Structure formats: C-alpha cells, structure tokens
Amino acid sequence: MKYWLMKSEPKTYSISDMKHEKTCIWDGVRNYQARNFLRQMTKGDLAFFYHSNTVPPGIIGLVKILESGIADPTQFDQKSQYYDPKSTPNTPRWQTVSVEFVEEFPKLISLAILKQEFSPDELLVTKKGNRLSVMPVAKNVAEKILVMKDGFYSGFH
C-alpha cells in the first residue's frame, strides 16, 4: 500500500461532500505530473484529503483508492471546463481514480504545522511554490501524520 495527498478546494469539493457521497471519481486533474501520480495509484492505497485555497489550508481527512486507470470522463465533455479536444475514448490523455471516504480528521492539520514537522524533501506539499494537486507521501511521513491527526503528537496544536 502506498500513501498519497490529494488537494481539493473546499468551495469546489470538500471533505463534507466526500463524506456525504461516500465515493467519487477524482476528475478534472489537468497537470501531467499529477496525472502520472494518479496512474501509479492502486486499489487499497490511502490518500490524505487536503483542503487548498482556503485559510488555513491543510489535511482534513483520509480516502481510499477504490479503482485506478479510469479515463477521466470530463475530458470528453465539451461543456466541461476540463474538456480536452485532443483526447478521444480510444486514446484518452487523462486518467484518474475512484476514491472512497475513510474519515474526516477531528481537526485540520494546517500547512503551517506540516511545515514545522516536515521538510520539503519529506513532504512535497510543504515545498514553496508546489502547486501539484496529487502527490506521493512516504510511508514514514504518512504514519506520523496519522498519529498527528489523533492529537497524540506533542507538536500538534
């Protein structure tokens, strides 16, 4: 099992939306590096749900990968802001995953706290200027975040 971090703006799709829907397709990713990370995900992997473009930004929950290798349906929808005219059903350019809600954390782990605890080499989301919406998380870092979310971690406040 691998760990990931997936960003979403709460105004667009929040952890509350995820909790209510229980499962969803993580569509609309239009960055090649983020897409390549989506392609590496496998069933059973876990992803931290990160609220971005909000104050404060941070990790707010956990989802599980249900299925990978899904052609993102928005690339074929001419009415979608994510439409890609160069993509066809026979040769889709954008793949994604379906995810399942696991839990909402009792308290958001803010980016400021993440920056205190992890270097940019340890956790990409703490790297200045990083705008990727999907990224890998090392197992040792993920395990520390899982301890932090329960409030048992001394640096958590």
Side-chain angles (χ1 to χ4, degrees), residues 6 8-22 26 47-51 58-63 100-105 108:
M6 300 170 83
S8 182
E9 295 180 12
K11 290 179 185 173
T12 303
Y13 194 79
S14 70
I15 191 70
S16 297
D17 297 324
M18 180 79 244
K19 186 177 185 177
H20 175 75
E21 291 182 12
K22 296 187 183 24
W26 202 265
F48 294 102
F49 196 111
Y50 184 96
H51 276 173
I59 297 173
I60 189 61
L62 196 64
V63 297
E100 175 181 47
F101 176 81
V102 174
E103 70 175 305
E104 181 175 0
F105 290 175
L108 179 127

Side-chain angles (χ1 to χ4, degrees), residues 28 36 43 59 71 90 103 114 125 137:
N36 292 343
K43 183 178 180 177
I59 297 173
N90 291 336
E103 70 175 305
L114 294 170
V125 75
V137 176

Side-chain angles (χ1 to χ4, degrees), residues 17-56:
D17 297 324
M18 180 79 244
K19 186 177 185 177
H20 175 75
E21 291 182 12
K22 296 187 183 24
T23 65
C24 76
I25 291 177
W26 202 265
D27 59 11
V29 173
R30 292 299 180 269
N31 172 286
Y32 286 105
Q33 189 173 1
R35 180 213 53 196
N36 292 343
F37 288 140
L38 286 166
R39 286 178 170 176
Q40 294 174 34
M41 292 180 179
T42 58
K43 183 178 180 177
D45 286 355
L46 293 175
F48 294 102
F49 196 111
Y50 184 96
H51 276 173
S52 63
N53 199 22
T54 188
V55 179

Side-chain angles (χ1 to χ4, degrees), residues 75-136:
Q75 68 191 312
F76 309 121
D77 181 357
Q78 293 183 13
K79 295 177 184 167
S80 171
Q81 66 178 342
Y82 302 113
Y83 174 66
D84 185 344
K86 294 181 180 175
S87 192
T88 67
N90 291 336
T91 56
R93 293 169 52 149
W94 304 102
Q95 288 77 31
T96 192
V97 296
S98 65
V99 297
E100 175 181 47
F101 176 81
V102 174
E103 70 175 305
E104 181 175 0
F105 290 175
K107 188 174 180 181
L108 179 127
I109 304 172
S110 72
L111 179 59
I113 290 172
L114 294 170
K115 285 182 175 182
Q116 288 174 8
E117 301 302 323
F118 304 104
S119 74
D121 290 333
E122 292 175 303
L123 186 60
L124 281 174
V125 75
T126 65
K127 186 175 184 177
K128 189 173 178 113
N130 184 328
R131 307 224 2 112
L132 278 179
S133 61
V134 178
M135 61 199 75

